[in-house]
């Protein structure tokens, strides 16, 4: 019986620590996701500027250079789409990890509530 309050406190601290760890991971993931979104926005802006320059160059180039410049434009567009897919994949992965952490946190809350109910019942039943 003397160990019971210590065990209760120990378990309570364990749940709190686990929840805090999950919250810290959630915050870190949100920061990482925001960073990816900022990179994606910056890349999009850069891509817009590149397309503007490409249009200008294409309009003002010599006819014999047109094919070369069009090929470079196609390459650039392909790479831009590839980069966009990679940004999207990374963002989706981070969102999955965020959901997983949220579910873990909810589970820890449920376990903790269940533990508290059992503790109260055992206190009242004793």
């Amino acid at each position: 019986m003397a160990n019971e309050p210590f065990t209760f406190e120990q378990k309570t601290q364990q749940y709190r620590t686990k929840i805090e760890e999950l919250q810290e991971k959630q915050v870190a993931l949100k920061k990482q996701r925001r960073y990816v979104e900022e990179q994606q926005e910056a890349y999009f802006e850069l891509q817009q500027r590149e397309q503007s320059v490409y249009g200008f160059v294409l309009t003002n180039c010599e006819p014999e250079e047109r094919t070369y410049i069009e090929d470079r434009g196609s390459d650039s567009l392909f790479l831009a789409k590839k980069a966009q897919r990679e940004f999207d994949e990374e963002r989706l992965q981070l969102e999955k990890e965020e959901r997983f952490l949220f579910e873990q946190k909810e589970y820890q809350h449920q376990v903790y509530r269940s533990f508290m109910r059992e503790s109260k019942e055992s206190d009242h039943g004793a």
Side-chain angles (χ1 to χ4, degrees):
M1 286 281 198
N3 279 346
E4 219 172 289
F6 180 73
T7 303
F8 174 83
E9 290 299 321
Q10 197 174 30
K11 283 191 177 249
T12 300
Q13 184 59 41
Q14 182 183 18
Y15 289 124
R16 287 182 181 155
T17 300
K18 182 65 176 173
I19 289 170
E20 287 174 9
E21 287 173 6
L22 291 169
Q23 287 172 331
E24 289 172 6
K25 287 179 182 179
Q26 283 177 317
V27 168
L29 272 174
K30 283 180 184 180
K31 286 180 182 178
Q32 189 175 359
R33 186 167 47 102
R34 183 63 199 142
Y35 175 75
V36 168
E37 289 169 352
E38 289 171 354
Q39 292 295 101
Q40 195 171 16
E41 290 169 10
Y43 187 77
F44 178 76
E45 289 175 19
L46 181 63
Q47 195 60 26
Q48 293 295 318
R49 284 188 264 155
E50 181 183 18
Q51 286 302 310
S52 176
V53 169
Y54 169 75
F56 176 79
V57 170
L58 193 59
T59 305
N60 296 304
C61 71
E62 299 294 325
E64 59 274 0
E65 296 174 338
R66 182 178 284 296
T67 303
Y68 175 79
I69 293 171
E70 286 173 341
D71 287 346
R72 299 296 72 79
S74 295
D75 292 346
S76 175
L77 188 57
F78 171 79
L79 292 173
K81 288 179 180 181
K82 180 181 176 190
Q84 185 64 43
R85 281 191 306 273
E86 290 173 1
F87 280 128
D88 289 341
E89 289 171 7
E90 186 173 359
R91 189 176 37 79
L92 287 173
Q93 183 61 37
L94 291 171
E95 288 172 1
K96 284 180 186 178
E97 290 177 35
E98 279 183 296
R99 279 193 300 273
F100 177 73
L101 288 174
F102 177 79
E103 290 168 2
Q104 281 188 319
K105 188 172 135 187
E106 287 301 306
Y107 173 75
Q108 286 299 316
H109 281 299
Q110 288 175 347
V111 170
Y112 181 68
R113 285 190 294 269
S114 177
F115 169 72
M116 294 301 287
R117 258 193 314 278
E118 290 172 10
S119 294
K120 286 182 181 181
E121 289 172 4
S122 68
D123 285 348
H124 289 100

